Amino acid sequence: MSENVIAPESAEAAAAKSYPIAADVNVRSGPGTSYAKVGRLSAGTRVTLYCQRPGEKVTGPTGTSSIWDRIGSGRYVSDTYVRTGSDGYVATRC
């Protein structure tokens, strides 16, 4: 007997890196502040970036950007709250 285990983000997780949150930030269900708030992260928390996509332009502690980072299924934070060391994309696009 064989059992199939489905892990949709496992390949993404293997290639993903973690980065620290620069300041307290709301986690949204999509790439913009009009999306539902689904959580909150404290400064210093490390997050894994599964992919990045364009969305609402936001000004945060690291500058202004329209890049949003997917940190889980239906979980996004503005890249301006994540210390990636870059103003551009550092992960694959969603």
Side-chain angles (χ1 to χ4, degrees):
M1 241 202 248
S2 71
E3 183 177 329
N4 292 329
V5 177
I6 299 172
E9 292 182 346
S10 62
E12 290 175 334
K17 293 182 180 179
S18 72
Y19 300 92
I21 294 293
D24 293 358
V25 63
N26 291 324
V27 179
R28 301 287 180 169
S29 63
T33 59
S34 62
Y35 286 86
K37 180 180 161 184
V38 295
R40 186 155 176 83
L41 294 171
S42 298
T45 303
R46 292 191 74 84
V47 293
T48 298
L49 305 188
Y50 293 102
C51 60
Q52 295 176 297
R53 66 179 293 177
E56 178 186 350
K57 185 180 275 190
V58 172
T59 298
T62 67
T64 300
S65 177
S66 60
I67 298 173
W68 283 74
D69 303 334
R70 186 167 71 85
I71 60 169
S73 181
R75 296 176 57 83
Y76 290 85
V77 294
S78 167
D79 192 61
T80 63
Y81 283 83
V82 182
R83 293 201 188 279
T84 63
S86 173
D87 290 338
Y89 288 87
V90 297
T92 59
R93 289 198 186 200
C94 302

